[in-house]
Amino acid sequence: MKYCVTIVRTGCMFIEAENEAEAMGIANHQTTDAVNWSDDWEATDCMEDDSALDGMYIKEKAFD
């Protein structure tokens, strides 16, 4: 079977604002280079999907 797995990566940025709503608005209007990304990520969702080219599917773990 072939699947599409969604990967989520966590990051943070430091915002100076008058309140939480303003901080969220500022954060939502930044580019990805403003984010301090974590080195970790997590697979969160998986659904059957065979729409990609065969060479794009990963078949083995990169490490144990």
Side-chain angles (χ1 to χ4, degrees):
M1 304 288 277
K2 296 178 180 177
Y3 298 91
C4 176
V5 178
T6 301
I7 303 297
V8 176
R9 190 172 185 185
T10 302
C12 69
M13 62 180 68
F14 300 96
I15 306 290
E16 184 172 338
E18 294 295 321
N19 54 52
E20 290 182 16
E22 181 183 7
M24 292 294 284
I26 292 170
N28 279 324
H29 291 88
Q30 300 300 310
T31 59
T32 57
D33 61 333
V35 179
N36 298 304
W37 292 107
S38 167
D39 290 335
D40 297 327
W41 48 271
E42 179 180 357
T44 60
D45 297 290
C46 183
M47 63 182 207
E48 192 172 340
D49 184 333
D50 63 358
S51 64
L53 298 173
D54 284 340
M56 295 179 67
Y57 291 94
I58 300 168
K59 297 179 181 181
E60 298 176 0
K61 293 179 182 180
F63 59 91
D64 283 317

